[in-house]
Amino acid sequence: MARQLILVEGLPGSGKSTIAQMISNILVQRGLRVQLFQEGDLNHPADYEGVAFYTEEQFGDLLDAHQACRDILKSRAIAYRNGYLIPYRQIKEELGEAFPDHTVQEIFSRDIYELPFEQNKDLITSKWRSFTESVLAANEDTVIIFECCFIQNPLTMGLVKCNQSREDNVNYVLELERMVQALNPLLIYIDQKDIAHTFDKAVKERPKEWSEGFIHYYTNQGWGASRGYHGVPGTVKVLQARKELETEIFQILKMDKYWLDNSEYNLSACQNELENILNGGLVS
């Protein structure tokens, strides 16, 4: 059975983006057709990035409150179930000041990753189901690579933001696994032994706005807030809890999977290991 999906997971700063690109390059060099979707892709086929959901009534209220953007919202909203999806980040990127920041900020409050846990899970799993169906219907010889949306996003929502139970978080990912099993997926988990060092490296390499927002997100809500965690040390503790749960989920998953240690950030060693993984019958 042809491999149609590769999932790259790991904590922030573990090297997911670099390794996902490596995988893509290796497969392209082998003559395969590849589609790589990295974190933050506004056109992600299985996840939502910068998209809000409004019920029909909520959408009506939004239009009434933002008359200047009424035509923009009506033309760009996508009817879905009993409401509308609004790809507000795409609209903002395309229209700039014509789509005011205060409107964007209000719509963000209904971002799919700001919704209650069960509603988020329902919308996300439905998107993954539709993705799988579309890939199977297309019947194309293409390997699709996703960075971080398979385990990271559900646990960011379920553990970090909403402090859901272990069972809720595990079942969220297991449901996504069921959604994609027909694509014969391969999971490559990028491991880092020293989480504190990994996060410190990410903080030093990325903009200050990223680290401040990340720390706030991880400690001011959900699992971190319930334990009174603060600052970088508190964020590391939440990341450690996330890593423990991700490790448990990795062990439970029945799909083909590989645990890749990138603690040394040795790109040459990772390249060789990935070559062995991808040439060893795991991708054909």
Side-chain angles (χ1 to χ4, degrees):
M1 181 178 180
R3 181 83 61 196
Q4 293 179 276
L5 180 64
I6 298 177
L7 305 161
V8 181
E9 294 289 333
L11 294 184
S14 60
K16 296 188 301 295
S17 298
T18 300
I19 287 173
Q21 186 64 61
M22 275 188 184
I23 294 168
S24 177
N25 294 343
I26 291 169
L27 296 181
V28 168
Q29 290 168 6
R30 290 178 53 185
L32 297 176
R33 289 192 293 179
V34 177
Q35 284 186 295
L36 169 61
F37 294 93
Q38 293 192 304
E39 186 172 6
D41 194 316
L42 298 182
N43 297 302
H44 201 290
D47 197 25
Y48 290 108
E49 182 70 36
V51 179
F53 178 76
Y54 278 73
T55 66
E56 190 168 348
E57 180 179 357
Q58 290 167 340
F59 187 61
D61 292 340
L62 180 69
L63 295 179
D64 290 341
H66 297 269
Q67 291 287 339
C69 296
R70 189 179 184 90
D71 290 342
I72 294 172
L73 292 169
K74 289 183 71 174
S75 65
R76 298 297 297 268
I78 303 163
Y80 185 74
R81 294 183 175 179
N82 63 331
Y84 296 90
L85 297 169
I86 304 177
Y88 63 92
R89 279 189 55 195
Q90 280 190 338
I91 300 172
K92 182 62 176 177
E93 285 195 2
E94 292 176 18
L95 301 182
E97 293 182 3
F99 194 50
D101 289 342
H102 70 274
T103 301
V104 174
Q105 201 59 38
E106 179 171 335
I107 296 173
F108 169 75
S109 68
R110 296 290 306 168
D111 186 283
I112 287 171
Y113 280 97
E114 295 294 320
L115 297 177
F117 177 77
E118 289 298 337
Q119 190 177 14
N120 168 273
K121 179 182 176 183
D122 178 48
L123 288 164
I124 296 295
T125 51
S126 294
K127 183 78 179 285
W128 280 79
R129 183 184 298 109
S130 296
F131 159 71
T132 298
E133 292 170 353
S134 67
V135 172
L136 295 175
N139 195 29
E140 296 178 349
D141 186 19
T142 301
V143 181
I144 299 169
I145 303 170
F146 287 165
E147 177 206 345
C148 86
C149 60
F150 176 68
I151 296 178
Q152 173 176 289
N153 288 6
L155 264 60
T156 298
M157 183 71 188
L159 176 71
V160 180
K161 180 176 178 60
C162 299
N163 195 23
Q164 297 291 130
S165 68
R166 169 204 169 275
E167 290 74 18
D168 286 341
N169 285 288
V170 171
N171 288 335
Y172 192 162
V173 180
L174 293 183
E175 188 164 349
L176 295 186
E177 180 184 35
R178 289 192 290 272
M179 297 298 102
V180 299
Q181 61 184 355
L183 303 181
N184 191 22
L186 166 66
L187 169 63
I188 299 179
Y189 190 94
I190 314 305
D191 184 32
Q192 288 285 338
K193 301 299 184 188
D194 189 337
I195 295 174
H197 172 72
T198 301
F199 183 63
D200 182 62
K201 183 175 183 294
V203 168
K204 290 177 179 177
E205 293 177 349
R206 301 182 186 187
K208 184 179 179 181
E209 293 76 15
W210 177 87
S211 59
E212 290 178 346
F214 192 95
I215 291 167
H216 182 272
Y217 192 94
Y218 266 60
T219 60
N220 283 31
Q221 60 185 345
W223 199 86
S226 72
R227 285 153 178 79
Y229 292 156
H230 300 285
V232 170
T235 303
V236 170
K237 288 182 179 179
V238 182
L239 285 168
Q240 288 170 336
R242 190 185 129 188
K243 173 68 175 298
E244 290 174 7
L245 188 52
E246 290 186 0
T247 302
E248 181 180 352
I249 289 171
F250 179 89
Q251 294 167 345
I252 294 172
L253 291 168
K254 296 179 181 178
M255 65 173 64
D256 290 338
K257 55 199 175 184
Y258 195 93
W259 191 271
L260 192 156
D261 187 351
N262 190 35
S263 299
E264 301 300 323
Y265 294 99
N266 186 326
L267 295 183
S268 177
C270 282
Q271 176 81 20
N272 292 336
E273 193 163 358
L274 288 170
E275 292 276 3
N276 291 332
I277 296 168
L278 300 174
N279 291 334
L282 288 178
V283 177
S284 59

